[in-house]
Amino acid sequence: MSRFAILAPVSLIVLVGSVAITPAAEAVPSCVNAGNVTGLGADGCNLGPLNFSNFVVSPVGVTANIFLGALSQVVGINTNLTFQVSHDPSPANMADILLYYTTKTLGGQATIGGVDLYNAGRNVTIREEVCGTSFLNGVCTTGLLADYVATGGSFQSATFTPLASTIYVRKDIQLLKDSFISEFTNSHDEAPSEAPEPATVLLLGSSLTALGMAARRRAAKSAAA
């Protein structure tokens, strides 16, 4: 038997073995129960037709973390992310939390045309800005697609054209005197020609308000102790 005839089966075994043990690429996780957003990295998480990535949380005056919990869902044209917030101290006074992230369509189609925000905080305002390009030192250099402020317990929305395949979101969560926020909901809409659906976000908001009240009661008990 020739040397080649002996080596060929061995090479085939090594090749098959290397294929068998090569780990498959990990799938991008769902945004439902995705946990701390800053741990998601560049791949981010998927929900419905959208991917959310490159989360940055920058608190000033408090220690803060932002999570994605179990209430995120797709309803009609709306892809709703429910963010849970923890901050210390709680309540807080005159503090600030900046949140940045990128939203893009999974197929690359330009179908994003609106955003909605429900703020369930107490004495908290959230300014939301949406840009078609990355923010540079907190500034949208190409002109904002959306810019609004939602005070505690309120809902705000905006639509924009032309449609976009990728948007960059900046939230400035301002904690005023004796303020508290445990969650807020953001909707990312696919059809700007459709009327916004505030009832969808407000329905989630009612659940968030109940959760927030429970969290405030726990915080009050902890403070008293």
Side-chain angles (χ1 to χ4, degrees), residues 95-155:
D96 195 77
I97 305 170
L98 291 177
L99 170 64
Y100 292 86
Y101 63 89
T102 303
T103 303
K104 60 184 178 182
T105 59
L106 292 176
Q109 303 92 340
T111 57
I112 306 173
V115 288
D116 310 325
L117 173 66
Y118 178 73
N119 174 8
R122 182 191 73 193
N123 296 336
V124 174
T125 64
I126 302 178
R127 180 181 180 183
E128 176 156 291
E129 300 171 296
V130 177
C131 188
T133 57
S134 297
F135 285 89
L136 181 61
N137 296 323
V139 177
C140 176
T141 59
T142 55
L144 290 170
L145 302 176
D147 183 8
Y148 54 71
V149 175
T151 57
S154 73
F155 167 87

Side-chain angles (χ1 to χ4, degrees), residues 11-25:
S11 301
L12 181 60
I13 292 171
V14 172
L15 178 61
V16 171
S18 64
V19 172
I21 64 175
T22 300

Side-chain angles (χ1 to χ4, degrees), residues 39-88:
L40 293 173
D43 290 336
C45 62
N46 293 341
L47 184 62
L50 301 178
N51 171 264
F52 303 88
S53 63
N54 300 313
F55 290 91
V56 176
V57 178
S58 180
V60 177
V62 290
T63 300
N65 289 289
I66 297 180
F67 305 85
L68 284 170
L71 295 179
S72 298
Q73 60 180 302
V74 178
V75 181
I77 64 169
N78 301 322
T79 301
N80 299 318
L81 288 186
T82 298
F83 293 95
Q84 297 175 343
V85 184
S86 66
H87 59 83
D88 183 27

Side-chain angles (χ1 to χ4, degrees), residues 150-223:
T151 57
S154 73
F155 167 87
Q156 294 291 334
S157 65
T159 59
F160 45 82
T161 54
L163 301 176
S165 61
T166 303
I167 60 173
Y168 301 84
V169 181
R170 178 183 187 271
K171 299 183 197 301
D172 186 356
I173 305 170
Q174 301 172 9
L175 290 81
L176 307 177
K177 184 178 180 180
D178 191 31
S179 60
F180 176 86
I181 184 169
S182 60
E183 61 275 309
F184 58 89
T185 298
N186 238 111
S187 175
H188 310 78
D189 308 328
E190 283 199 273
S193 59
E194 300 283 344
E197 300 181 20
T200 300
V201 178
L202 289 176
L203 179 61
L204 283 173
S206 63
S207 299
L208 294 175
T209 300
L211 290 173
M213 291 176 64
R216 285 193 290 272
R217 284 196 294 268
R218 289 195 299 270
K221 289 181 180 178
S222 297

